[in-house]
Amino acid sequence: MYRFLVLASGRGSNFLSIIKAIQEKIIQNAQIIGLITDRPNTGAEEHAKTYQIPVFVFNYQSYENKNDFHQDLLKTAISLNPDLILCA
């Protein structure tokens, strides 16, 4: 089973397409282990909640510098140990 981590920050239409492709077995042997988004209350976050996918929000605007933001995102991605990271 391949473990996908998805990065998304918008309406979530591409993210939803990935979810449905996995459910319909178009993408086989895969599961989404989490969603990382860079701002709260996105459409992608709502889709994740609907499908009970863990959500990790790193509000870019709350960071003093880009490096701290990237470090937090990277630590989370590493801790989840995905096989693939998808940008949606």
Side-chain angles (χ1 to χ4, degrees):
M1 180 75 60
Y2 293 103
R3 297 165 41 88
F4 293 172
L5 174 62
V6 180
L7 308 179
S9 64
R11 293 179 319 169
S13 57
N14 290 332
F15 179 52
L16 184 58
S17 293
I18 295 167
I19 292 169
K20 290 187 180 223
I22 291 170
Q23 286 183 331
E24 296 170 7
K25 306 286 188 218
I26 295 167
I27 300 173
Q28 297 181 10
N29 299 317
Q31 66 178 16
I32 299 173
I33 59 169
L35 168 72
I36 293 179
T37 183
D38 63 350
R39 52 193 182 96
N41 304 315
T42 62
E45 183 178 354
E46 291 304 313
H47 293 311
K49 288 177 182 177
T50 298
Y51 291 94
Q52 300 177 336
I53 297 168
V55 178
F56 305 88
V57 178
F58 298 98
N59 188 347
Y60 184 77
Q61 295 179 353
S62 69
Y63 286 85
E64 289 186 26
N65 62 66
K66 190 186 293 189
N67 186 55
D68 290 345
F69 168 78
H70 288 148
Q71 287 299 317
D72 282 352
L73 192 147
L74 182 60
K75 284 178 193 174
T76 298
I78 289 170
S79 74
L80 293 169
N81 194 29
D83 294 307
L84 291 171
I85 298 175
L86 308 175
C87 296

